[in-house]
Amino acid sequence: DTAVSQTPKYLVTQMGNDKSIKCEQNLGHDTMYWYKQDSKKFLKIMFSYNNKELIINETVPNRFSPKSPDKAHLNLHINSLELGDSAVYFCASSQEGASLETQYFGPGTRLLVL
Amino acid sequence: QKEVEQDPGPLSVPEGAIVSLNCTYSNSAFQYFMWYRQYSRKGPELLMYTYSSGNKEDGRFTAQVDKSSKYISLFIRDSQPSDSATYLCATSSRTGANNLFFGTGTRLTVIP
C-alpha cells in the first residue's frame, strides 16, 4: 500500500532528449513537491505545488516543468536533457494544516543522462 | 552560507554504541525540526519531528533542539546494524513545511 509512488525507478537517456517522471500519492494530501538529490546526497527542492500556487525554486532551469492533472498527481517534465541533470529525483507530499506537518517521500527516480 | 550545515561523515560505530548526529542552522526563524532516515536506494522517511526547543524521545532515538545555539542533535542508543543509513536533518520556519531546508546528510554504518 504505497503512499507516494514514482515511475520509472530508473531512467537512462541520451543528452537532448525530453523525458517525464510520474508521481502519485494516495494520502489525500493537497501539496506535492519535487526534489533533486545530487551525488553528494544533498536534497534540494525544485517545486512545490498545491491547488492554489506553484512555487518554483529560482535556480531550477525552465527546461523543468511540473504538471498536475489532479490533486493526487504531480509529474515532472524535462526538456533537452543535459549531463548535469543526472541525479535522483524525489517526489513528496504533505498536508497543509495537519498536526504533523511534514513531507512523505517517494522511492526516487534515478536519472542518468549519457 | 547554507541554511543547514551537517557533517557528511561517514561515521562508523560498533553495534551497541551511542551515536550522536548533529546539525547547525543559520535562521533563527526556524521552528520546526525533523530528522529523516534514508536507506540506500530509498526515499527519505521521517524519523523524528520536534517543534521549538527541547528534547523528544522515541524508543532508542532522542531528538534535541537548542535554539539559543541553533543546534540540532539526534542520539541513537544501543545502535543496531539496521540503523545503518544516511540521516538528514531538516528545518522549516512556518507551518505547512512548504519549505524544508535539508542538511547534506550523515552516512552512518553500525558494525556488528
Side-chain angles (χ1 to χ4, degrees):
Chain A
D1 188 16
T2 305
V4 183
S5 59
Q6 295 178 227
T7 53
K9 286 188 178 177
Y10 300 95
L11 184 54
V12 181
T13 188
Q14 298 287 331
M15 217 165 48
N17 284 351
D18 302 337
K19 290 292 178 186
S20 294
I21 307 172
K22 294 184 177 179
C23 177
E24 177 181 2
Q25 54 94 5
N26 62 8
L27 297 166
H29 287 168
D30 61 5
T31 306
M32 297 182 73
Y33 312 81
W34 278 104
Y35 285 86
K36 179 180 180 181
Q37 188 174 47
D38 61 25
S39 58
K40 294 184 180 178
K41 293 285 192 181
F42 184 56
L43 259 178
K44 190 172 182 182
I45 192 163
M46 301 176 71
F47 305 99
S48 68
Y49 181 79
N50 61 24
N51 289 337
K52 302 164 193 170
E53 156 175 60
L54 171 65
I55 300 174
I56 303 171
N57 184 319
E58 62 188 12
T59 66
V60 175
N62 58 14
R63 298 182 295 105
F64 291 79
S65 57
K67 292 204 170 34
S68 179
D70 55 59
K71 205 169 115 172
H73 297 83
L74 184 66
N75 303 326
L76 182 65
H77 295 271
I78 316 170
N79 294 326
S80 302
L81 277 155
E82 299 178 358
L83 295 176
D85 297 333
S86 297
V88 183
Y89 292 83
F90 288 100
C91 177
S93 71
S94 71
Q95 179 63 39
E96 296 284 330
S99 59
L100 183 61
E101 294 168 330
T102 188
Q103 299 177 17
Y104 294 84
F105 285 79
T109 295
R110 280 152 187 80
L111 172 65
L112 178 61
V113 182
L114 303 174
Chain B
Q1 182 187 9
K2 287 189 183 142
E3 289 84 3
V4 182
E5 300 275 0
Q6 185 176 6
D7 185 343
L11 180 62
S12 291
V13 300
E15 184 175 352
I18 297 174
V19 176
S20 172
L21 303 167
N22 307 294
C23 292
T24 58
Y25 62 93
S26 57
N27 189 342
S28 57
F30 289 145
Q31 298 186 74
Y32 302 89
F33 305 94
M34 285 139 276
W35 283 95
Y36 284 81
R37 179 173 59 196
Q38 186 176 17
Y39 289 114
S40 180
R41 299 194 171 274
K42 299 287 185 185
E45 55 178 340
L46 180 67
L47 191 61
M48 299 283 283
Y49 171 88
T50 56
Y51 172 71
S52 195
S53 279
N55 291 1
K56 185 173 182 179
E57 192 174 317
D58 184 1
R60 297 184 294 109
F61 298 88
T62 300
Q64 197 172 75
V65 176
D66 182 349
K67 290 191 76 180
S68 62
S69 57
K70 299 192 183 70
Y71 203 77
I72 315 164
S73 300
L74 178 71
F75 299 98
I76 308 174
R77 291 186 300 280
D78 187 25
S79 55
Q80 303 294 309
S82 59
D83 296 329
S84 299
T86 296
Y87 290 81
L88 302 106
C89 61
T91 71
S92 177
S93 60
R94 53 194 172 100
T95 60
N98 201 34
N99 279 303
L100 272 180
F101 294 96
F102 282 88
T104 50
T106 301
R107 192 167 141 200
L108 171 68
T109 302
V110 180
I111 303 165

